[in-house]
Amino acid sequence: MTKKQRALEIIERLKKEYPAAECSLDYDQAWKLLVSVRLAAQCTDARVNVVVEKLYDQYPDVNALAEAGAEEIEKIIHPCGLGKSKARDISACMKILRDEYGGKVPEDFDRLLALPGVGRKSANLIMGDVFGKPAIVTDTHCIRLVNRMGLVDGIKEPAKVEKELWKIIPPEEGNDFCHRLVNHGRAVCTARTRPYCDRCCLADICKKSGVD
């Protein structure tokens, strides 16, 4: 079985196992996802979802958050960790959205990358979830699972993993595939315990089934 064949089979099986492929960060506007994905660095999505409720109660739109000082933002988001740097990035990012994009999130990958605190993972998430464009989000679950499954070979650098996956994942499947990897990584192919290969829908085609 080639990597591409394995990838296509994994995609189909994960679709059946996790029919709803959704981002676990709560948002109803593009700029809110931009904020949440910055807060999610080294923090759980569940905690981010709680913290942003207070943030948006106080600063309900891009203009309000752009007007807020980084110190005020930090006071609210400190439970997410790395408060100083995250607050600085969020403040600077909202100012750019206000001043250069009329309060809108740009629908362009390179422009997203140019925003403070936005890396390839965040830019791909925005492109895929908000704008419905082809995207591959190489978060920790994705990197761990695709290495275990044999879709990439011992590659841990996110940009390199993304590059390899583009070769074998159909563009229209990439975004949902990555969301399903998160679901599978939390439920079955876990990081902090030995993966539960005995109940994995991919056990017979996974290269490292039963191997930590």
Side-chain angles (χ1 to χ4, degrees), residues 72-98:
E72 286 71 31
I73 296 172
E74 184 183 354
K75 289 175 186 175
I76 298 173
I77 68 169
H78 77 273
C80 295
L82 304 174
K84 193 173 293 295
S85 62
K86 290 179 179 180
R88 185 175 60 245
D89 286 341
I90 290 169
S91 177
C93 187
M94 294 302 110
K95 284 179 171 64
I96 291 172
L97 293 189
R98 178 194 63 189

Side-chain angles (χ1 to χ4, degrees), residues 29-38 55-56 59-68 73 86-106 115-118 126:
Q29 297 179 65
W31 69 271
K32 291 183 178 180
L33 181 56
L34 201 55
V35 170
S36 288
V37 75
R38 180 66 186 99
L55 183 67
Y56 301 149
Y59 305 109
D61 54 40
V62 170
N63 288 338
L65 201 49
E67 289 295 327
I73 296 172
K86 290 179 179 180
R88 185 175 60 245
D89 286 341
I90 290 169
S91 177
C93 187
M94 294 302 110
K95 284 179 171 64
I96 291 172
L97 293 189
R98 178 194 63 189
D99 298 340
E100 298 183 21
Y101 297 107
K104 304 294 185 182
V105 175
L115 294 172
V118 177
I126 297 288

Side-chain angles (χ1 to χ4, degrees), residues 148-208:
R148 284 178 175 174
M149 294 169 179
L151 299 184
V152 302
D153 301 313
I155 304 173
K156 299 300 173 67
E157 185 181 329
K160 291 182 178 178
V161 172
E162 181 190 337
K163 182 179 178 181
E164 291 304 304
L165 290 179
W166 278 122
K167 298 175 183 177
I168 58 175
I169 304 294
E172 68 277 8
E173 298 285 358
N175 192 56
D176 287 349
F177 172 64
C178 291
H179 284 320
R180 292 186 174 104
L181 288 180
V182 172
N183 294 334
H184 196 61
R186 288 173 175 164
V188 178
C189 200
T190 55
R192 297 189 179 185
T193 65
R194 191 175 182 85
Y196 300 101
C197 299
D198 57 320
R199 63 173 192 251
C200 179
C201 63
L202 308 173
D204 61 314
I205 58 170
C206 176
K207 274 210 164 182
K208 295 185 180 179

